[in-house]
Amino acid sequence: MTMRVWSVETGKCLHILRGHRKSVYSAAYSPRGDQIATCSWDNTVRLWNVETGSCSHVLTNHRDEVNQVAYSPQGDRLASVSDDMTVRLWDARTGECLSTMEGHTVLVYDVVFSPDGSQIASCSFDKTIRLWCTETGVCSKTLTGHHNAIECIAYSPQGDRIISASDDKAIRIWDVATGQCCHVLTGHTDWVRFLMLSPNGYQIASASKDSTIKLWDIETGKWLRTLTGHRNESGKIVYSPEGDMIASTSLDGSMRLWDVASGECRVVQELPGSVNNIEWIQLSGIDRLITTCGDESVRMWEVIKEGDLCRVRLGWSSMNNALVVSDAILQDAQGLSQLNKQLLRQLGAVGELANP
């Protein structure tokens, strides 16, 4: 029911955002970086000031759980989708509801803005994608073809294609202008839970409940390669800013880094519990990964590339008992929790642990 804002550089918790009465399901930073939007199963969306950590607006129009929020590219508008089967458009500065878009017949799960901000795409468990005009709130097209719930959608960087992933095990590529399906990408043997486009927009990566990640060519729909190694359902995937690597998470409790060109796994980092989320950023010229895990920790990793070799180094870890680890070798350590001991062993930072 709370959100925390962390400094990537230091690992210091800057703000604790309190107010939601049930689990927070999703969050988004505004493009300007001055506001955070959160949505919750308490049926509300909250807007927060990044500088102060204070809640500026509570958006209460939804009648059921809110599943996703997304900012427009300009940052002046916010879209939200809910189990109440609606898409709502808000003024991000005032919190005013500008439009309520109705048409889906089952809960709406994901929402994205087109790159120019003129259009919203929403996907639903009713097996459809709907395209909406942001100025009028009118549905311009309904895309049909999936045979089961649609988990996520994305626009191509040019805005001329929409990519969707579904529980029917398929990914579809759609022409935005015509609403027609250009390609159906098949090969996964279970639900497709997440997809990501490469920074140049030429490639799609998809993650599935079948434990694999597949890479596809967006123009031809051709399968390129399959990344195998996770021992349980694949979770979120992110490309490096250069697009040459992919980082992935899994319910098997590992984070993996893959070479896009070869499909080889370059790094396997085991973590306590499932890895829930991952982000890849560049800050001060350094590639960094941010992970959140089932042990309720946030970790920042530095990605170190040395020729053809790659490794990760823990920058900081904010756990419940506030242990922060960087480069260290410990001898005769006492008084550590089991989670801390496991983490230190993984880092190779442990000599002999007293009372293991």
Side-chain angles (χ1 to χ4, degrees):
M1 294 184 285
T2 64
M3 291 284 295
R4 292 176 183 261
V5 181
W6 305 87
S7 166
V8 173
E9 289 281 9
T10 66
K12 179 183 177 182
C13 180
L14 304 177
H15 302 295
I16 301 176
L17 312 183
R18 293 187 174 95
H20 284 296
R21 299 184 307 278
K22 292 184 180 180
S23 297
V24 178
Y25 196 70
S26 179
Y29 266 97
S30 68
R32 297 187 297 268
D34 60 345
Q35 189 180 73
I36 296 172
T38 57
C39 64
S40 167
W41 289 350
D42 65 8
N43 305 356
T44 70
V45 176
R46 286 179 175 257
L47 305 182
W48 309 83
N49 183 293
V50 170
E51 184 68 25
T52 64
S54 61
C55 179
S56 59
H57 300 285
V58 183
L59 316 183
T60 59
N61 295 51
H62 280 296
R63 302 180 304 276
D64 210 333
E65 297 172 356
V66 187
N67 297 315
Q68 191 63 262
V69 286
Y71 278 97
S72 66
Q74 298 77 19
D76 59 335
R77 296 183 179 185
L78 181 79
S80 60
V81 293
S82 167
D83 282 9
D84 67 10
M85 301 181 289
T86 67
V87 181
R88 292 183 184 266
L89 183 66
W90 313 84
D91 186 309
R93 293 162 296 188
T94 67
E96 177 188 0
C97 184
L98 303 175
S99 182
T100 301
M101 306 170 196
E102 297 178 309
H104 285 296
T105 58
V106 185
L107 68 88
V108 192
Y109 200 68
D110 197 12
V111 63
V112 288
F113 278 88
S114 61
D116 64 2
S118 66
Q119 194 175 70
I120 292 171
S122 60
C123 67
S124 168
F125 280 21
D126 67 8
K127 311 172 192 176
T128 71
I129 300 162
R130 286 180 176 261
L131 307 184
W132 312 85
C133 174
T134 55
E135 290 301 318
T136 65
V138 173
C139 179
S140 59
K141 292 181 180 67
T142 302
L143 314 183
T144 60
H146 279 296
H147 305 297
N148 209 330
I150 303 173
E151 295 274 350
C152 60
I153 48 177
Y155 274 94
S156 65
Q158 298 77 21
D160 59 339
R161 296 286 187 271
I162 286 176
I163 302 91
S164 57
S166 169
D167 291 356
D168 66 8
K169 309 174 190 177
I171 300 112
R172 286 178 179 255
I173 303 174
W174 310 83
D175 185 291
V176 171
T178 66
Q180 298 300 306
C181 181
C182 306
H183 303 288
V184 182
L185 316 182
T186 59
H188 282 297
T189 58
D190 212 327
W191 299 353
V192 186
R193 309 306 292 268
F194 196 85
L195 57 82
M196 177 66 69
L197 271 68
S198 61
N200 61 17
Y202 296 153
Q203 193 178 84
I204 303 165
S206 58
S208 169
K209 196 176 178 181
D210 67 11
S211 307
T212 70
I213 298 158
K214 291 183 181 290
L215 307 184
W216 317 83
D217 183 279
I218 193 170
E219 284 300 318
T220 65
K222 179 183 177 183
W223 166 80
L224 300 174
R225 58 191 57 87
T226 300
L227 314 182
T228 58
H230 282 302
R231 303 179 303 278
N232 204 332
E233 178 178 335
S234 300
K236 187 173 180 181
I237 44 179
V238 289
Y239 277 90
S240 64
E242 295 85 5
D244 60 332
M245 299 192 75
I246 286 174
S248 63
T249 66
S250 171
L251 293 183
D252 65 12
S254 73
M255 168 182 71
R256 289 176 179 255
L257 271 62
W258 311 83
D259 182 85
V260 169
S262 67
E264 294 179 0
C265 181
R266 295 295 180 85
V267 175
V268 181
Q269 180 65 54
E270 300 291 341
L271 291 166
S274 61
V275 188
N276 302 325
N277 205 350
I278 189 167
E279 297 291 343
W280 194 318
I281 62 173
Q282 278 186 339
L283 189 64
S284 303
I286 300 173
D287 281 303
R288 304 169 193 247
L289 292 166
I290 310 296
T291 58
T292 60
C293 300
D295 63 353
E296 300 184 358
S297 69
V298 180
R299 294 179 172 88
M300 188 280 287
W301 309 84
E302 294 180 3
V303 181
I304 302 167
K305 300 177 183 178
E306 299 168 332
D308 292 334
L309 301 177
C310 180
R311 61 188 177 93
V312 295
R313 179 177 62 195
L314 184 66
W316 52 261
S317 172
S318 298
M319 303 178 72
N320 288 335
N321 57 2
L323 176 71
V324 179
V325 180
S326 186
D327 291 328
I329 298 295
L330 304 185
Q331 296 287 338
D332 300 317
Q334 301 184 47
L336 297 175
S337 71
Q338 289 300 318
L339 282 175
N340 287 340
K341 292 174 183 177
Q342 185 177 352
L343 174 62
L344 291 167
R345 287 192 184 98
Q346 291 167 2
L347 293 169
V350 172
E352 294 297 325
L353 289 177
N355 302 319

